[in-house]
mmCIF file of all heavy atoms in Angstrom:
data_model
loop_
_atom_site.group_PDB
_atom_site.id
_atom_site.type_symbol
_atom_site.label_atom_id
_atom_site.label_comp_id
_atom_site.label_asym_id
_atom_site.label_seq_id
_atom_site.Cartn_x
_atom_site.Cartn_y
_atom_site.Cartn_z
ATOM 1 N N THR A 18 2.677 7.370 3.584
ATOM 2 C CA THR A 18 3.082 8.758 3.748
ATOM 3 C C THR A 18 3.944 8.860 4.988
ATOM 4 O O THR A 18 3.557 8.380 6.060
ATOM 5 C CB THR A 18 1.858 9.675 3.909
ATOM 6 O OG1 THR A 18 1.079 9.604 2.721
ATOM 7 C CG2 THR A 18 2.287 11.115 4.137
ATOM 8 N N VAL A 29 4.123 7.075 10.094
ATOM 9 C CA VAL A 29 3.863 6.453 8.804
ATOM 10 C C VAL A 29 2.365 6.216 8.679
ATOM 11 O O VAL A 29 1.741 5.643 9.570
ATOM 12 C CB VAL A 29 4.609 5.107 8.663
ATOM 13 C CG1 VAL A 29 4.322 4.500 7.289
ATOM 14 C CG2 VAL A 29 6.099 5.304 8.867
ATOM 15 N N ALA A 60 -11.342 -0.948 15.838
ATOM 16 C CA ALA A 60 -12.475 -0.107 16.235
ATOM 17 C C ALA A 60 -13.102 0.570 15.021
ATOM 18 O O ALA A 60 -14.328 0.695 14.927
ATOM 19 C CB ALA A 60 -12.020 0.936 17.250
ATOM 20 N N VAL A 61 -12.265 1.012 14.085
ATOM 21 C CA VAL A 61 -12.793 1.636 12.868
ATOM 22 C C VAL A 61 -13.593 0.618 12.062
ATOM 23 O O VAL A 61 -14.679 0.919 11.548
ATOM 24 C CB VAL A 61 -11.651 2.223 12.017
ATOM 25 C CG1 VAL A 61 -12.188 2.730 10.682
ATOM 26 C CG2 VAL A 61 -10.961 3.354 12.767
ATOM 27 N N ARG A 69 -22.819 0.231 8.378
ATOM 28 C CA ARG A 69 -23.343 -0.498 7.218
ATOM 29 C C ARG A 69 -24.638 -1.226 7.568
ATOM 30 O O ARG A 69 -25.610 -1.205 6.798
ATOM 31 C CB ARG A 69 -22.299 -1.494 6.715
ATOM 32 C CG ARG A 69 -22.686 -2.174 5.402
ATOM 33 C CD ARG A 69 -21.571 -3.079 4.923
ATOM 34 N NE ARG A 69 -21.512 -4.309 5.695
ATOM 35 C CZ ARG A 69 -22.102 -5.453 5.337
ATOM 36 N NH1 ARG A 69 -22.807 -5.513 4.215
ATOM 37 N NH2 ARG A 69 -21.983 -6.523 6.086
ATOM 38 N N ALA A 74 -30.591 -1.305 6.727
ATOM 39 C CA ALA A 74 -31.936 -1.504 7.269
ATOM 40 C C ALA A 74 -32.868 -0.340 6.974
ATOM 41 O O ALA A 74 -34.055 -0.396 7.291
ATOM 42 C CB ALA A 74 -31.853 -1.723 8.779
ATOM 43 N N SER A 79 -29.499 10.303 3.810
ATOM 44 C CA SER A 79 -28.851 10.972 2.686
ATOM 45 C C SER A 79 -27.347 10.958 2.921
ATOM 46 O O SER A 79 -26.891 11.023 4.071
ATOM 47 C CB SER A 79 -29.330 12.420 2.561
ATOM 48 O OG SER A 79 -28.828 13.209 3.627
ATOM 49 N N PRO A 80 -26.541 10.868 1.874
ATOM 50 C CA PRO A 80 -25.084 10.900 2.047
ATOM 51 C C PRO A 80 -24.609 12.146 2.789
ATOM 52 O O PRO A 80 -23.696 12.077 3.608
ATOM 53 C CB PRO A 80 -24.566 10.868 0.606
ATOM 54 C CG PRO A 80 -25.641 10.169 -0.164
ATOM 55 C CD PRO A 80 -26.922 10.624 0.472
ATOM 56 N N VAL A 83 -25.512 11.791 6.653
ATOM 57 C CA VAL A 83 -24.639 10.822 7.312
ATOM 58 C C VAL A 83 -23.224 11.389 7.435
ATOM 59 O O VAL A 83 -22.583 11.279 8.481
ATOM 60 C CB VAL A 83 -24.613 9.494 6.532
ATOM 61 C CG1 VAL A 83 -23.592 8.537 7.145
ATOM 62 C CG2 VAL A 83 -25.996 8.852 6.538
ATOM 63 N N LEU A 88 -18.771 13.400 10.741
ATOM 64 C CA LEU A 88 -17.739 14.412 10.932
ATOM 65 C C LEU A 88 -17.851 15.072 12.300
ATOM 66 O O LEU A 88 -16.846 15.406 12.926
ATOM 67 C CB LEU A 88 -17.841 15.469 9.834
ATOM 68 C CG LEU A 88 -16.704 16.496 9.766
ATOM 69 C CD1 LEU A 88 -15.372 15.798 9.541
ATOM 70 C CD2 LEU A 88 -16.970 17.504 8.661
ATOM 71 N N PHE A 127 -9.889 5.095 2.182
ATOM 72 C CA PHE A 127 -8.556 5.622 2.471
ATOM 73 C C PHE A 127 -8.350 5.585 3.982
ATOM 74 O O PHE A 127 -9.153 6.147 4.727
ATOM 75 C CB PHE A 127 -8.419 7.062 1.968
ATOM 76 C CG PHE A 127 -8.586 7.205 0.482
ATOM 77 C CD1 PHE A 127 -9.853 7.179 -0.093
ATOM 78 C CD2 PHE A 127 -7.486 7.355 -0.339
ATOM 79 C CE1 PHE A 127 -10.011 7.303 -1.465
ATOM 80 C CE2 PHE A 127 -7.634 7.482 -1.709
ATOM 81 C CZ PHE A 127 -8.900 7.451 -2.278
ATOM 82 N N ARG A 131 -3.382 9.350 12.747
ATOM 83 C CA ARG A 131 -3.127 10.744 13.061
ATOM 84 C C ARG A 131 -1.645 10.942 13.332
ATOM 85 O O ARG A 131 -1.032 10.202 14.101
ATOM 86 C CB ARG A 131 -3.957 11.151 14.277
ATOM 87 C CG ARG A 131 -3.930 12.638 14.568
ATOM 88 C CD ARG A 131 -5.006 13.008 15.580
ATOM 89 N NE ARG A 131 -4.837 12.333 16.847
ATOM 90 C CZ ARG A 131 -5.740 12.356 17.826
ATOM 91 N NH1 ARG A 131 -6.881 12.989 17.637
ATOM 92 N NH2 ARG A 131 -5.520 11.740 18.958
ATOM 93 N N VAL A 140 -7.620 27.002 21.195
ATOM 94 C CA VAL A 140 -8.061 27.673 19.973
ATOM 95 C C VAL A 140 -8.361 29.130 20.313
ATOM 96 O O VAL A 140 -9.130 29.407 21.230
ATOM 97 C CB VAL A 140 -9.315 26.998 19.389
ATOM 98 C CG1 VAL A 140 -9.813 27.761 18.162
ATOM 99 C CG2 VAL A 140 -9.025 25.546 19.034
ATOM 100 N N PHE A 141 -7.729 30.052 19.609
ATOM 101 C CA PHE A 141 -7.995 31.475 19.797
ATOM 102 C C PHE A 141 -9.067 31.900 18.795
ATOM 103 O O PHE A 141 -8.915 31.685 17.591
ATOM 104 C CB PHE A 141 -6.737 32.306 19.562
ATOM 105 C CG PHE A 141 -5.736 32.283 20.696
ATOM 106 C CD1 PHE A 141 -5.790 31.313 21.683
ATOM 107 C CD2 PHE A 141 -4.732 33.237 20.769
ATOM 108 C CE1 PHE A 141 -4.871 31.281 22.720
ATOM 109 C CE2 PHE A 141 -3.804 33.223 21.803
ATOM 110 C CZ PHE A 141 -3.872 32.243 22.779
ATOM 111 N N GLN A 149 -15.479 46.534 21.379
ATOM 112 C CA GLN A 149 -14.630 47.650 21.801
ATOM 113 C C GLN A 149 -15.257 48.473 22.927
ATOM 114 O O GLN A 149 -16.468 48.454 23.117
ATOM 115 C CB GLN A 149 -14.353 48.574 20.606
ATOM 116 C CG GLN A 149 -15.536 49.406 20.151
ATOM 117 C CD GLN A 149 -16.490 48.649 19.244
ATOM 118 O OE1 GLN A 149 -16.267 47.493 18.897
ATOM 119 N NE2 GLN A 149 -17.577 49.302 18.855
ATOM 120 N N ARG A 166 4.646 46.837 23.009
ATOM 121 C CA ARG A 166 5.524 46.757 21.840
ATOM 122 C C ARG A 166 4.732 46.404 20.579
ATOM 123 O O ARG A 166 4.911 47.012 19.520
ATOM 124 C CB ARG A 166 6.624 45.735 22.095
ATOM 125 C CG ARG A 166 7.632 45.619 20.961
ATOM 126 C CD ARG A 166 8.909 44.929 21.419
ATOM 127 N NE ARG A 166 8.672 43.651 22.079
ATOM 128 C CZ ARG A 166 8.844 43.437 23.382
ATOM 129 N NH1 ARG A 166 9.242 44.420 24.179
ATOM 130 N NH2 ARG A 166 8.619 42.245 23.899
ATOM 131 N N VAL A 211 -4.306 41.399 18.256
ATOM 132 C CA VAL A 211 -3.011 40.772 17.972
ATOM 133 C C VAL A 211 -1.996 41.085 19.071
ATOM 134 O O VAL A 211 -1.101 40.271 19.351
ATOM 135 C CB VAL A 211 -2.483 41.179 16.584
ATOM 136 C CG1 VAL A 211 -3.445 40.717 15.493
ATOM 137 C CG2 VAL A 211 -2.224 42.669 16.475
ATOM 138 N N SER A 218 1.063 34.700 24.373
ATOM 139 C CA SER A 218 2.170 33.845 23.929
ATOM 140 C C SER A 218 3.393 34.024 24.811
ATOM 141 O O SER A 218 4.108 33.061 25.117
ATOM 142 C CB SER A 218 2.521 34.154 22.469
ATOM 143 O OG SER A 218 1.439 33.840 21.610
ATOM 144 N N ALA A 238 -5.671 35.530 10.524
ATOM 145 C CA ALA A 238 -4.738 35.311 9.413
ATOM 146 C C ALA A 238 -3.352 35.840 9.755
ATOM 147 O O ALA A 238 -2.333 35.223 9.425
ATOM 148 C CB ALA A 238 -5.261 35.988 8.150
ATOM 149 N N HIS A 239 -3.295 36.976 10.446
ATOM 150 C CA HIS A 239 -1.992 37.525 10.839
ATOM 151 C C HIS A 239 -1.320 36.643 11.885
ATOM 152 O O HIS A 239 -0.130 36.319 11.772
ATOM 153 C CB HIS A 239 -2.154 38.944 11.382
ATOM 154 C CG HIS A 239 -0.897 39.486 11.995
ATOM 155 N ND1 HIS A 239 0.264 39.659 11.277
ATOM 156 C CD2 HIS A 239 -0.610 39.860 13.277
ATOM 157 C CE1 HIS A 239 1.217 40.128 12.074
ATOM 158 N NE2 HIS A 239 0.712 40.250 13.284
ATOM 159 N N VAL A 253 -7.039 45.871 6.587
ATOM 160 C CA VAL A 253 -7.989 46.310 7.618
ATOM 161 C C VAL A 253 -8.377 47.769 7.404
ATOM 162 O O VAL A 253 -9.555 48.140 7.492
ATOM 163 C CB VAL A 253 -7.394 46.108 9.027
ATOM 164 C CG1 VAL A 253 -8.281 46.769 10.082
ATOM 165 C CG2 VAL A 253 -7.235 44.625 9.334
ATOM 166 N N ALA A 254 -7.391 48.613 7.116
ATOM 167 C CA ALA A 254 -7.679 50.038 6.924
ATOM 168 C C ALA A 254 -8.595 50.256 5.727
ATOM 169 O O ALA A 254 -9.604 50.974 5.817
ATOM 170 C CB ALA A 254 -6.377 50.809 6.747
ATOM 171 N N ALA A 261 -17.152 52.464 6.122
ATOM 172 C CA ALA A 261 -17.531 53.731 6.753
ATOM 173 C C ALA A 261 -18.117 54.727 5.764
ATOM 174 O O ALA A 261 -18.719 55.721 6.169
ATOM 175 C CB ALA A 261 -16.317 54.349 7.443
#
Side-chain angles (χ1 to χ4, degrees):
T18 298
V29 181
V61 174
R69 187 177 75 95
S79 70
V83 174
L88 189 60
F127 298 78
R131 189 167 60 189
V140 177
F141 283 17
Q149 72 278 358
R166 183 163 52 251
V211 298
S218 296
H239 171 61
V253 171

